[in-house]
């Protein structure tokens, strides 16, 4: 009897998930360009391993997942391509606004997008929970705009603030979230490698875990070449 109840429960969850994804499909229009921010402006090549990361700028687990992922990307070099998709979790304060800030900055200066992401990760306490509890939405947007301008250092505050009134950045942030939903993303961090989801969604992967996942995807000769390059650096 318990087994039957479990099967019915899982079937109900699956049905609800399918209905949700179907509703997202029916509401989203195809964007004019691919979603996401390419690390070091390096688009994927046919002979590179593609990692897709869905991250929330104010999510502690997303924050903790970034250093080991970045280290792995640096280890493999150009043989790995990384694209980060903002995925603002609805239960994290200011997730949508900070994700939108990434789109604003990416429109102004693509080389600054990851600097801003790392700045949010480094000072999440400025935007999480009680930090903005008594502020209006307009005040929070202004706070995020000022933080963004200061974190990047070479962007005009007025240009950043204007980006938050541009409907294109609002739509782009919505598209990022819907894209994650269409892919079956339900938490952050959430990773795909060559289009296949990794287990352990919502939890950071450490550097050794990344090596265990990625090393088998390269030939022994490629692995040796990478180790030799690391030795001389």
């Amino acid at each position: 009897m318990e087994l039957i109840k479990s099967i019915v429960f899982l079937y109900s969850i699956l049905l609800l998930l399918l209905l949700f994804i179907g509703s997202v499909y029916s509401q989203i229009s195809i964007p004019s360009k691919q979603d996401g921010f390419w690390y070091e402006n390096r688009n994927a090549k046919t002979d590179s391993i593609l990692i897709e990361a869905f991250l929330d700028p104010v999510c502690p687990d997303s924050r903790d997942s970034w250093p080991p992922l970045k280290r792995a990307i640096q280890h493999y070099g150009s043989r790995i391509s990384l694209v980060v998709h903002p995925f603002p979790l609805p239960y994290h304060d200011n997730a949508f606004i900070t994700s939108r800030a990434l789109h604003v900055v990416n429109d102004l200066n693509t080389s600054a997008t990851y600097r801003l992401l790392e700045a949010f990760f480094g000072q999440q306490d400025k935007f999480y929970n009680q930090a903005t509890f008594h502020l209006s939405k307009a005040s929070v947007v202004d706070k995020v705009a000022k933080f963004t301008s200061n974190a990047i250092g070479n962007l005009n505050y007025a240009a950043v603030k204007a980006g938050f009134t541009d409907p294109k950045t609002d739509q782009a942030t919505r598209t990022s979230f819907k894209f994650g939903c269409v892919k079956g993303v339900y938490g952050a961090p959430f990773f795909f490698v060559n289009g296949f989801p990794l287990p352990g969604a919502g939890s950071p992967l450490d550097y050794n875990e990344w090596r265990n996942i990625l090393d088998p995807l390269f030939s022994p000769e490629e692995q040796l070449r990478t180790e030799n390059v690391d030795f001389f650096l």
Side-chain angles (χ1 to χ4, degrees):
M1 181 62 69
E2 292 299 322
L3 178 60
I4 295 176
K5 288 182 179 179
S6 298
I7 294 174
V8 171
F9 175 75
L10 291 174
Y11 178 79
S12 299
I13 294 297
L14 178 61
L15 181 60
L16 288 173
L17 180 61
L18 290 174
L19 289 173
F20 175 71
I21 293 175
S23 66
V24 171
Y25 268 116
S26 65
Q27 295 176 34
I28 192 169
S29 57
I30 298 176
S32 59
K33 62 178 182 179
Q34 291 180 331
D35 181 74
F37 313 122
W38 292 97
Y39 185 65
E40 295 183 343
N41 294 323
R42 192 171 63 213
N43 289 28
K45 298 181 294 184
T46 56
D47 60 346
S48 67
I49 304 298
L50 173 62
I51 297 177
E52 295 175 90
F54 290 80
L55 304 177
D56 178 339
V58 292
C59 168
D61 287 324
S62 292
R63 174 199 64 203
D64 295 342
S65 74
W66 176 242
L69 173 56
K70 183 178 179 180
R71 182 183 172 191
I73 298 298
Q74 292 171 340
H75 171 78
Y76 293 102
S78 61
R79 289 174 299 151
I80 294 284
S81 296
L82 168 67
V83 59
V84 166
H85 304 277
F87 192 70
L89 296 170
Y91 44 83
H92 282 162
D93 295 341
N94 306 312
F96 188 88
I97 295 174
T98 51
S99 293
R100 187 175 182 181
L102 294 173
H103 281 285
V104 170
V105 167
N106 197 67
D107 285 345
L108 296 171
N109 181 2
T110 56
S111 64
T113 310
Y114 278 85
R115 275 189 285 150
L116 178 60
L117 179 63
E118 291 180 341
F120 281 133
F121 284 160
Q123 300 188 56
Q124 286 182 341
D125 58 311
K126 292 182 180 292
F127 308 101
Y128 203 69
N129 292 336
Q130 296 298 317
T132 60
F133 186 77
H134 297 290
L135 298 180
S136 65
K137 181 179 179 180
S139 297
V140 173
V141 170
D142 188 62
K143 182 176 182 177
V144 171
K146 288 179 179 177
F147 176 87
T148 298
S149 181
N150 292 333
I152 301 308
N154 59 353
L155 288 180
N156 183 276
Y157 164 74
V160 173
K161 188 65 178 294
F164 281 97
T165 63
D166 186 346
K168 291 181 180 179
T169 63
D170 177 74
Q171 185 60 43
T173 312
R174 293 169 184 258
T175 297
S176 292
F177 178 74
K178 292 178 180 180
F179 179 70
C181 292
V182 167
K183 295 269 288 185
V185 176
Y186 53 85
F190 204 109
F191 302 107
F192 292 80
V193 174
N194 284 345
F196 286 79
L198 297 185
S203 300
L205 297 175
D206 64 31
Y207 176 69
N208 289 330
E209 288 175 304
W210 276 114
R211 290 293 304 273
N212 290 335
I213 292 168
L214 297 173
D215 274 352
L217 303 182
F218 295 101
S219 67
E221 293 78 11
E222 288 177 310
Q223 292 183 37
L224 180 62
R225 187 162 60 247
T226 298
E227 297 298 339
N228 288 338
V229 170
D230 282 352
F231 177 80
F232 290 105
L233 289 179

